[in-house]
C-alpha cells in the first residue's frame, strides 16, 4: 500500500483538474482498501474514493483528507458469470467479454473508468445499462464495519443512480458480479437507434459482438468520448449533465416553451421514462439554448464534437469549468424552464 502526502489529484482524473490531497493511499488488494477505509473512519479523517477519475470534479483547493485510489485487479469468468475487482479498467473488461463471446455489456465499450464505479452511477450508453447484467455487488459497509454482498434489487438502480450514489458515505465497492448471455457470438438485441443505423440493421436485431463493440467505439470517438491524451475534447467527464426526466405536467410546460422559442412545429426529443414521466435530451437542450459545439472563449469550453461534454482545453482550472457549467445551466433554465443536473461527482465545490 503506497502512501503519499500533499499528492496531486489532477493527473488521476480525466478532466486533469483539481488540487492535491493531504494524503493519497493507493490500495492494490481488497484488504488494503478496507484497512485504509477503517483507518480514515476511526480517525475521523475525510475520505475520497478514487477509481479511474472519469466522473470526478475536484476543487482547485484539493481535498483535505485521505484520497483512496483503488487499484485492485482481478477478472474471473465462470461460464456466463463475470466477477471484476473494483480497480479493473472497464474498457478492458468489456473487450474480454466480447472475446469470450458473451453478450450484455458490449455497447458499454469505450466508457472510461473502473469497474467499481459502474454500479454507483448505473453506467449506461447506447441502449445498455450495467443494472441489467449486475447480479451482486460486494462492498465494505462503513456503517456496519463489515463486507456485505448486495443483490441487484438491493442496489436500488435507476437512471444514472443507485443506493451507492444516494448514500455515498456508506459503501466502498470491492467487486462486481455480472451475469452475461451466450448468444452464439451475437450481441444482445440492439436498443439504441443510432447503433442499429450504423450497423445497417433494425433496432432489436442482434449482430456479431465484435461489430457491436467496434461500432460503439467509433460512435463514441466521433463525439470525443474515448480518452485520447492528444485530444482536448476528451479531457472531460463524458456527459456532464444527465438527461432530464419530467413529469407529464412539467413536460407539457416544457413543450410549450419549446414551441414559443423555436416555432409552432418544433418537437423536442421525448422518450418514455415510466408512467407519467418523459425523458428528454440534455444535449438537445444545450444546443437549442445557444450553447453549440466549441462554445466558449476561455480554457474551459464545450467540446467541439458533442454539446454534452464540457472540456479542459489544457490550462483550465476547476473554477473555469464550473463557471461554464453554471452558464449552461442558467441558459437552459431561462430558455426552456428545465434545470440540468450534473452527472459527475463534485468534491469541495458545487454548481
Amino acid at each position: 500500500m503506497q502512501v503519499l502526502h500533499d499528492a496531486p489529484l489532477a493527473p488521476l482524473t480525466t478532466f486533469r483538474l483539481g488540487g492535491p490531497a493531504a494524503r493519497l493511499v493507493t490500495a492494490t488488494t481488497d484488504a488494503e482498501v478496507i484497512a485504509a477505509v477503517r483507518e480514515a473512519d476511526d480517525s475521523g479523517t475525510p475520505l475520497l474514493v478514487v477509481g479511474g477519475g472519469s466522473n470526478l470534479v475536484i476543487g482547485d483547493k484539493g481535498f483535505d483528507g485521505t484520497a483512496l485510489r483503488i487499484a485492485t485487479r482481478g477478472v474471473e469468468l465462470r461460464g456466463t458469470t463475470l466477477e471484476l475487482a473494483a480497480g479493473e479498467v472497464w474498457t478492458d473488461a468489456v473487450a474480454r467479454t466480447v472475446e469470450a463471446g458473451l453478450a450484455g455489456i458490449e455497447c458499454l465499450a469505450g466508457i472510461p473508468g473502473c469497474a467499481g464505479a459502474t454500479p454507483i452511477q448505473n453506467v449506461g450508453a447506447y441502449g445498455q445499462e450495467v443494472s441489467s447484467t449486475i447480479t451482486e455487488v460486494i462492498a465494505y459497509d462503513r456503517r456496519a464495519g463489515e463486507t456485505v454482498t448486495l443483490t441487484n434489487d438491493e442496489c436500488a438502480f435507476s437512471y444514472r443512480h443507485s443506493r451507492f450514489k444516494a448514500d455515498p458515505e456508506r459503501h466502498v465497492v470491492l467487486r462486481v458480479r455480472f451475469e452475461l448471455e451466450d448468444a452464439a457470438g451475437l450481441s444482445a438485441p440492439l436498443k439504441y437507434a443510432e447503433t442499429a443505423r450504423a450497423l445497417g440493421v433494425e433496432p432489436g436485431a442482434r449482430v456479431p459482438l465484435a461489430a457491436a463493440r467496434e461500432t460503439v467505439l467509433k460512435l463514441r470517438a466521433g463525439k470525443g468520448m474515448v480518452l485520447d491524451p492528444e485530444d482536448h475534447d476528451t479531457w472531460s467527464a463524458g456527459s456532464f449533465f444527465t438527461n432530464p426526466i419530467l413529469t407529464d405536467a412539467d413536460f407539457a410546460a416544457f413543450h410549450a416553451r419549446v414551441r414559443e422559442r423555436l416555432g409552432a412545429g418544433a418537437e423536442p426529443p421525448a422518450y418514455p421514462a415510466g408512467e407519467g414521466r418523459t425523458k428528454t435530451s440534455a444535449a438537445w437542450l444545450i444546443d437549442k439554448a445557444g450553447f453549440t459545439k466549441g462554445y466558449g472563449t476561455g480554457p474551459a469550453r464545450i467540446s467541439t464534437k458533442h454539446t454534452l461534454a464540457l472540456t479542459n482545453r489544457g490550462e483550465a482550472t476547476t473554477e473555469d469549468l464550473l463557471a461554464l457549467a453554471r452558464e449552461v445551466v442558467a441558459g437552459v433554465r431561462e430558455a426552456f424552464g428545465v434545470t440540468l443536473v450534473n452527472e459527475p461527482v463534485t468534491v469541495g465545490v458545487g454548481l
Side-chain angles (χ1 to χ4, degrees):
M1 187 159 58
Q2 182 188 66
V3 180
L4 300 173
H5 297 276
D6 195 29
L9 291 177
L12 302 182
T13 74
T14 53
F15 264 125
R16 295 166 171 81
L17 294 176
R23 186 168 176 262
L24 173 64
V25 175
T26 299
T28 58
T29 67
D30 289 353
E32 289 181 353
V33 171
I34 293 169
V37 173
R38 283 178 172 164
E39 181 183 1
D41 289 346
D42 290 347
S43 62
T45 303
L47 180 69
L48 170 65
V49 177
V50 180
S54 60
N55 204 45
L56 280 179
V57 178
I58 299 172
D60 292 316
K61 293 182 179 179
F63 184 69
D64 188 17
T66 294
L68 171 59
R69 181 172 173 244
I70 297 183
T72 54
R73 292 291 183 266
V75 178
E76 188 174 350
L77 194 55
R78 302 181 304 277
T80 55
T81 300
L82 172 70
E83 180 174 305
L84 298 174
E88 278 293 329
V89 176
W90 176 251
T91 55
D92 294 346
V94 173
R96 291 275 295 267
T97 64
V98 170
E99 290 170 4
L102 298 177
I105 58 175
E106 62 280 357
C107 291
L108 302 179
I111 294 177
C114 295
T118 60
I120 297 171
Q121 189 77 0
N122 185 17
V123 163
Y126 294 94
Q128 291 182 343
E129 289 183 330
V130 293
S131 58
S132 66
T133 52
I134 288 177
T135 56
E136 294 178 324
V137 174
I138 297 89
Y140 178 69
D141 185 335
R142 298 169 66 183
R143 195 172 302 164
E146 63 184 15
T147 300
V148 296
T149 299
L150 302 170
T151 65
N152 183 289
D153 286 344
E154 290 171 326
C155 292
F157 290 121
S158 59
Y159 173 65
R160 301 298 175 270
H161 202 67
S162 68
R163 73 177 297 168
F164 310 109
K165 192 171 182 181
D167 188 2
E169 302 299 317
R170 179 161 183 179
H171 294 99
V172 176
V173 175
L174 301 174
R175 296 183 173 272
V176 188
R177 291 180 182 142
F178 303 81
E179 184 60 33
L180 304 176
E181 178 189 7
D182 185 349
L186 297 179
S187 69
L190 297 174
K191 296 181 180 179
Y192 202 68
E194 183 182 18
T195 314
R197 281 197 304 271
L199 285 158
V201 299
E202 293 295 319
R206 294 178 184 263
V207 298
L209 278 165
R213 174 177 174 270
E214 289 163 9
T215 298
V216 166
L217 287 173
K218 288 178 182 177
L219 290 172
R220 291 186 65 87
K223 300 172 183 178
M225 299 290 186
V226 177
L227 292 180
D228 179 352
E230 303 303 317
D231 182 358
H232 285 285
D233 277 330
T234 74
W235 290 31
S236 74
S239 300
F240 195 87
F241 300 103
T242 58
N243 290 321
I245 295 178
L246 308 175
T247 64
D248 286 345
D250 287 341
F251 187 81
F254 161 58
H255 197 189
R257 292 281 285 270
V258 168
R259 294 191 166 187
E260 178 184 334
R261 182 179 177 90
L262 303 178
E267 291 292 338
Y271 311 97
E275 187 174 354
R277 293 157 68 84
T278 301
K279 181 167 68 176
T280 192
S281 165
W284 186 92
L285 286 165
I286 293 167
D287 180 70
K288 298 302 182 184
F291 303 100
T292 53
K293 294 175 184 177
Y295 178 89
T297 57
R301 303 179 197 175
I302 290 178
S303 166
T304 66
K305 299 182 178 73
H306 200 290
T307 55
L308 203 48
L310 307 188
T311 67
N312 170 12
R313 307 316 292 184
E315 301 294 333
T317 65
T318 301
E319 278 306 309
D320 292 329
L321 175 77
L322 294 176
L324 175 62
R326 292 174 188 131
E327 183 183 2
V328 171
V329 170
V332 169
R333 185 189 297 120
E334 181 179 357
F336 299 113
V338 175
T339 299
L340 295 176
V341 176
N342 54 289
E343 188 168 326
V345 175
T346 55
V347 179
V349 292
L351 294 189

